[in-house]
Amino acid sequence: MHVSKRLPSLRKTALALATGLAASLTLSSAQAGDVEVLHWWTSGGEARAANVLKELMEAEGHNWEDFAVAGGGGETAMTVLKSRAMSGNPPSAAQIKGPEIQEWGELGLLGNLDGVAEAQQWETLLPETVAEVMRHDGHYVAVPVNVHRVNWLWANPEVLDDAGVEMPTTLDELFAAAEPLREAGYIPLAHGGQAWQDATIFEDIVLATAGTDYYRRALVDLDPEALGGEPMIEALSTFKRLRTLMDDDMSGRDWNIATSMVIEGDAAMQLMGDWAKGEFTAAGLTAGEDYLCAPAPGTQDAFTFNIDSLAMFRVSDEGEREAQEDLARLVLEPTFQKAFNMAKGSIPARPDLDMSEFDSCAQQSLADFQRTADEGGLMPSMAHGMAVRAAVQGAIFDVVTNYFNDTDMEAEEAARRMVNTAQAAY
């Protein structure tokens, strides 16, 4: 993907900042040693994980100004960030990921973390897949917090046992489990009817039905032949079948509420990234005993990744700059990497850490990350902002969620719309 194309909303931001960049370096309300951090880690497990970093920063003498914006997919947080940037007053650091890091870098608004990177030897510490996302124009502008696996299936073993079904490893097994689960009084698949959640399970289905090579062609490279071809039509048809596994009250439901349905035994399973594990952990549950994890059915050879990262905005105040550098350094130190990721459900951004204290799901995730990286199955998540720019992602979201919720729209029509909207947005 060329990095010169920008979101329409960021084009407006660029125009506003053409005359306001100097103001962005002087109008910040933060004082020496203060660091304002915009993020969307607001659910139980996520908030607990973010607090770890806050405590570490305060132990170093800095003041953490928490700027938490609720919304599991981060869309609301990005809207707030653009508003702040356009007013010439961006936060010190913001949770930005994937291609959007490049967009903010192109606007000349991000700081330089090369000094911290050199001191901590990020070049050897980080997998190249992770490191390349953190760089703009050859310079480090962001620090990775973790690596999430998106293509997970979570399940309540007591519910499965009560219905007499096994943890499904294929889509056929997943659909076959629905009838006995419903007869036993359970919702087969917990889901939140939000566009980003629809897209999350959609990309799982694309991987399961068409494989990694096709996934890359369609959802990363945006190849029109792939987006509108027979594999996409098959994936869309299977995707809509998943509605038969869900309850009628899912519209607007937050992802963590769907996770709680599995925890409480109202639902059997959930397709969601490993941040869901943070909710199980916060509930005091043990992986492999109180809940089960497995790759989304049919995606065992793939690992769709979502890397949370903190990008640093340019500041003029020396104390604030030092606080930013300390923040970047602390994020990659073992103390935070272990504590944060054990609470969040993800795996460390640096693979050299001892994983013996992590649960079995995390240990499997790291092993699968390394294996799929070697085998070519490591895929950036389209649904979570790692594969395409936000304008393209938003266009795909619209098609996916409209199709999923429209009983009359055929898969062929959705595939045609996928091609047209992706090309128009790009």
Side-chain angles (χ1 to χ4, degrees), residues 1 98-99 203 215 219-221 305 379-389 393:
M1 293 280 279
E203 70 179 19
Y215 175 95
L219 299 183
V220 182
D221 298 336
F305 65 85
M379 295 288 133
S381 170
M382 178 280 298
H384 293 273
M386 300 304 301
V388 296
R389 298 211 171 189
Q393 181 196 50

Side-chain angles (χ1 to χ4, degrees), residues 40-109:
W40 60 89
W41 296 315
T42 56
S43 74
E46 291 177 323
R48 189 159 60 97
N51 197 54
V52 172
L53 187 55
K54 176 183 177 181
E55 291 175 352
L56 287 171
M57 282 293 286
E58 290 176 345
E60 298 244 343
H62 299 298
N63 179 40
W64 171 290
E65 296 183 4
D66 198 61
F67 190 3
V69 181
E75 297 91 344
T76 305
M78 289 302 95
T79 300
V80 172
L81 176 60
K82 289 164 188 173
S83 175
R84 282 283 301 271
M86 289 178 72
S87 69
N89 186 28
S92 310
Q95 185 183 352
I96 307 174
K97 58 187 181 181
E100 285 211 329
I101 293 174
Q102 302 303 316
E103 297 180 38
W104 287 104
E106 287 162 14
L107 297 178
L109 293 179

Side-chain angles (χ1 to χ4, degrees), residues 27-40:
L27 289 179
S28 176
S29 60
Q31 299 181 8
D34 291 357
V35 59
E36 184 184 24
V37 183
L38 183 149
H39 63 88
W40 60 89

